[in-house]
Amino acid sequence: MEASRLYSTKPVQSLKPTKKIPLEEDPGKASDALPLPLYLTNALFFTLFFSVVYFLLSRWREKIRTSTPLHVVTFSDIIAILSFFASFIYLLGFFGIDFVQSLVFQPSPDVWIAEDEEEDNEVLLAKEDARKVPCGQALDCSLPPLPPAAPIVTTQKVCDEKPLMVIPEEDEEIVKSVVAGTTPSYSLESKLGDCKRAAAIRREALQRLTGKSLSGLPLDGFDYESILGQCCEMPVGYVQIPVGIAGPLLVNGREYSVPMATTEGCLVASTNRGCKAIHLSGGATSVILKDGMTRAPCVRFGTAKRAADLKLYLEDPDNFETLSVVFNRSSRFGRLQGIKCAIAGKNLYIRFTCSTGDAMGMNMVSKGVQNVLDFLQTDFADMDVIGISGNYCSDKKPAAVNWIEGRGKSVVCEATIKGDVVRKVLKTSVESLVELNMLKNLTGSAMAGALGGFNAHASNIVAAIYIATGQDPAQNVESSHCITMMEAVNDGKDLHVSVTMPSIEVGTVGGGTQLASQSACLNLLGVKGASKETPGANSRMLATIVASAVLAGELSLMSAIAAGQLVKSHMKYNRSTKDVSKASS
């Protein structure tokens, strides 16, 4: 049975104002009066029943062996017999009577089907009778308009306007077990074998536990099989983020339509204006400076001298080939590029850098690092591995080592914007942009103590493209390290603008890139999957597009600030006056 037919998230509307349908009945149960929880009481009586049976059988066998009359009983025999009858009566009452009642008093499904069909027929008849056009040339069978229906008043408390969920009986039992804690929520996929059904059951259990409605969170229309074990655990739905297109963006002689997933007004429009200015000026040029993912484990020795010995060994060029063979054996694409070490007392931080093909490469480099650590244990048996990552990498945190050494793809992108384009498209002047960039992006960021933040809003564009193309959004932290430079050229007539981004971390295979929506966005850019001709070409092209889009975004936002348009444009495009609640209803 498909889950799409089992669950309906549409609110159930009453068709007959005079008919009351109880939505949920919760009569008191006999088990509520038990001093112990039901499962403990059941276990107690089960144990008692089998224990006294064993005891009585043993006693009767002993009497037969010793020729003692069976009617001669001791005090312990009497207690055992009474316990036997008590436990037998309890088990019979708990299992036998309840089972018989469920068979006798269970309503037939035909009753509900017939009632639903009757109401559906009445709705269809009401719609047909309400038509205003004649049903024949000489016959006027139109009916007068029906009087407005009286408002239906219900006394049931609705929590956050939660719609009534129609749940099959077998799933209702699972929901109750999840709410009771007897079935772990995380195990539903493996127990049921149906990822969407598991998400629907988990969602309903969550609503009952919290008393909050998730009616605005979509459930249908998503492939939950595709995220199992790799993208998201314990799903209850998915979030809809609109995707806009900026472009065409002309980079290195090729045009790209850049997908941007965002909920911020003006962002796509502003980036699109920057793309237009770059295109009218002949396009941008982008260069990949470095391509290497990093991982830095932390190891500890008994003395600082031993830590220094390992540092000298790892940084010795004569040992690099041996370490490369050990590192590279776990991957076809992971190739060790270099090792950089830093000592803090007797602790050593080893920063490995390797190429990773078209993958972002965190797992790939981690496996290679583990190979090297296992290899080093032979000659450095006193080495204590504290962690595979010691934050000298550094991942998902602003760090000077990434700003200086780079991580992932290091990219520089530049363009020369014609003076006419600056005036007509960007609505400002070359002099104003150069001065604003110096005082805002350079001096202002220095005054704030910025680390890699010498830009206007690089993270805005990076985050939007990352979400659209299935990248790790948390890596927007170091991927947005950017310095924006502007200067007047050609005797002050034109504007040279560039962005330098040393740590763009992207991939076109693995992770969220294989999901349908994200894969479509990568396909739009022409970088979907792994490059068959040159390993790593697609991921490098994606990094180039990211940097070029940042260049367009920087150019447009700086122009808006220089022209005094920032507040005006955001008030126009980012402050909706529509009542969203009324529109959705």
Side-chain angles (χ1 to χ4, degrees):
M1 183 181 296
E2 298 180 359
S4 60
R5 297 185 302 176
L6 297 181
Y7 300 93
S8 173
T9 58
K10 297 181 180 179
V12 177
Q13 298 178 354
S14 175
L15 302 178
K16 299 179 182 180
T18 59
K19 184 176 181 180
K20 297 182 179 179
I21 303 177
L23 298 179
E24 183 177 359
E25 294 183 1
D26 189 16
K29 298 179 181 179
S31 60
D32 297 337
L34 295 175
L36 295 176
L38 186 58
Y39 71 95
L40 289 179
T41 306
N42 292 340
L44 178 62
F45 276 95
F46 264 113
T47 305
L48 180 62
F49 177 82
F50 289 106
S51 298
V52 297
V53 168
Y54 178 81
F55 174 81
L56 291 174
L57 290 177
S58 301
R59 288 285 295 152
W60 291 341
R61 184 177 62 180
E62 183 181 353
K63 289 179 180 180
I64 294 173
R65 184 172 57 84
T66 59
S67 299
T68 303
L70 295 179
H71 65 273
V72 177
V73 294
T74 63
F75 180 77
S76 59
D77 293 338
I78 296 175
I79 296 298
I81 294 173
L82 293 177
S83 300
F84 170 80
F85 281 107
S87 58
F88 178 79
I89 292 172
Y90 173 83
L91 296 176
L92 178 63
F94 182 80
F95 291 100
I97 297 176
D98 187 70
F99 176 72
V100 173
Q101 286 180 344
S102 66
L103 294 178
V104 174
F105 296 102
Q106 182 177 10
S108 173
D110 297 337
V111 175
W112 303 106
I113 295 174
E115 196 169 82
D116 292 339
E117 290 179 352
E118 179 183 354
E119 292 183 359
D120 292 338
N121 292 335
E122 290 179 4
V123 174
L124 293 175
L125 289 175
K127 288 183 178 180
E128 291 179 359
D129 290 343
R131 61 181 180 268
K132 296 182 179 180
V133 294
C135 57
Q137 291 290 338
L139 180 63
D140 184 8
C141 55
S142 61
L143 296 177
L146 296 175
I152 303 173
V153 180
T154 177
T155 58
Q156 181 181 0
K157 182 179 179 181
V158 179
C159 183
D160 290 346
E161 298 183 357
K162 175 184 173 182
L164 179 63
M165 300 290 295
V166 180
I167 302 178
E169 289 185 19
E170 61 270 22
D171 288 355
E172 178 66 26
E173 294 300 322
I174 302 176
V175 170
K176 290 180 179 179
S177 67
V178 173
V179 172
T182 56
T183 299
S185 178
Y186 61 81
S187 66
L188 290 174
E189 280 79 5
S190 60
K191 290 181 179 296
L192 300 176
D194 187 335
C195 292
K196 183 178 180 182
R197 182 184 173 199
I201 291 175
R202 181 182 297 111
R203 176 193 183 102
E204 179 61 22
L206 178 63
Q207 292 184 125
R208 296 186 187 183
L209 283 169
T210 62
K212 303 295 182 181
S213 172
L214 292 176
S215 58
L217 185 69
L219 176 67
D220 297 326
F222 188 81
D223 181 12
Y224 292 93
E225 301 282 348
S226 63
I227 64 174
L228 181 63
Q230 56 190 0
C231 290
C232 181
E233 298 76 37
M234 295 189 288
V236 294
Y238 60 97
V239 174
Q240 296 171 312
I241 301 178
V243 177
I245 295 297
L249 176 62
L250 182 60
V251 186
N252 296 336
R254 293 182 59 183
E255 291 184 349
Y256 300 93
S257 296
V258 184
M260 301 175 66
T262 181
T263 56
E264 179 185 354
C266 292
L267 179 58
V268 178
S270 177
T271 307
N272 188 67
R273 184 175 73 152
C275 292
K276 179 180 180 181
I278 293 173
H279 200 291
L280 292 175
S281 300
T285 303
S286 185
V287 180
I288 300 289
L289 305 175
K290 291 182 182 179
D291 182 7
M293 182 51 63
T294 65
R295 175 61 85 196
C298 173
V299 299
R300 181 172 58 191
F301 290 89
T303 63
K305 182 181 181 304
R306 286 293 290 163
D309 291 342
L310 180 56
K311 179 180 186 299
L312 296 175
Y313 174 84
L314 292 173
E315 293 181 346
D316 187 347
D318 294 336
N319 299 324
F320 182 78
E321 184 176 354
T322 300
L323 296 173
S324 296
V325 173
V326 175
F327 185 97
N328 298 341
R329 67 187 180 191
S330 60
S331 173
R332 293 183 300 157
F333 303 104
R335 294 295 177 264
L336 184 63
Q337 296 177 346
I339 302 175
K340 182 180 180 64
C341 299
I343 284 184
K346 58 183 182 179
N347 305 299
L348 180 64
Y349 297 84
I350 314 168
R351 193 171 193 260
F352 293 83
T353 304
C354 82
S355 60
T356 57
D358 284 302
M360 185 270 289
M362 288 298 301
N363 294 331
M364 192 182 301
V365 67
S366 296
K367 289 189 293 184
V369 168
Q370 189 62 55
N371 293 340
V372 175
L373 292 177
D374 295 340
F375 172 78
L376 293 175
Q377 289 285 359
T378 302
D379 294 329
F380 296 88
D382 56 337
M383 179 181 70
D384 182 16
V385 179
I386 303 301
I388 191 69
S389 175
N391 272 10
Y392 189 50
C393 311
S394 172
D395 187 41
K396 302 174 183 176
K397 293 166 283 291
V401 68
N402 291 337
W403 177 240
I404 298 171
E405 298 290 337
R407 188 171 195 257
K409 277 71 173 172
S410 299
V411 187
V412 60
C413 184
E414 64 178 347
T416 300
I417 309 301
K418 298 178 181 179
D420 290 342
V421 174
V422 173
R423 290 188 296 271
K424 296 179 181 179
V425 177
L426 302 178
K427 310 299 182 183
T428 185
S429 63
V430 173
E431 296 81 4
S432 298
L433 284 173
V434 172
E435 182 181 28
L436 177 63
N437 184 74
M438 180 185 65
L439 295 178
K440 170 182 167 61
N441 288 342
L442 305 182
T443 308
S445 296
M447 293 294 294
L451 177 59
F454 299 90
N455 57 80
H457 70 149
S459 62
N460 242 343
I461 291 85
V462 173
I465 299 178
Y466 271 27
I467 296 173
T469 58
Q471 311 303 312
D472 189 338
Q475 290 185 325
N476 172 57
V477 175
E478 63 267 34
S479 296
S480 295
H481 282 180
C482 171
I483 182 169
T484 302
M485 305 291 293
M486 293 184 182
E487 63 175 296
V489 294
N490 299 330
D491 297 329
K493 296 179 182 179
D494 302 328
L495 175 72
H496 181 273
V497 55
S498 67
V499 293
T500 305
M501 306 179 69
S503 52
I504 299 179
E505 299 163 345
V506 293
T508 57
V509 296
T513 63
Q514 61 188 1
L515 300 180
S517 301
Q518 290 80 349
S519 179
C521 291
L522 289 171
N523 186 60
L524 175 66
L525 294 171
V527 295
K528 176 183 176 181
S531 174
K532 298 180 180 179
E533 294 79 14
T534 307
N538 283 351
S539 62
R540 288 191 290 270
M541 180 59 67
L542 179 57
T544 295
I545 295 171
V546 171
S548 303
V550 168
L551 179 70
E554 290 287 282
L555 187 62
S556 184
L557 176 59
M558 292 293 288
S559 299
I561 296 175
Q565 300 171 338
L566 179 64
V567 176
K568 181 179 179 181
S569 61
H570 272 270
M571 291 299 294
K572 180 179 180 181
Y573 295 104
N574 205 24
R575 296 292 295 272
S576 174
T577 59
K578 182 166 68 172
D579 190 337
V580 180
S581 61
K582 293 182 179 179
S584 61
S585 62

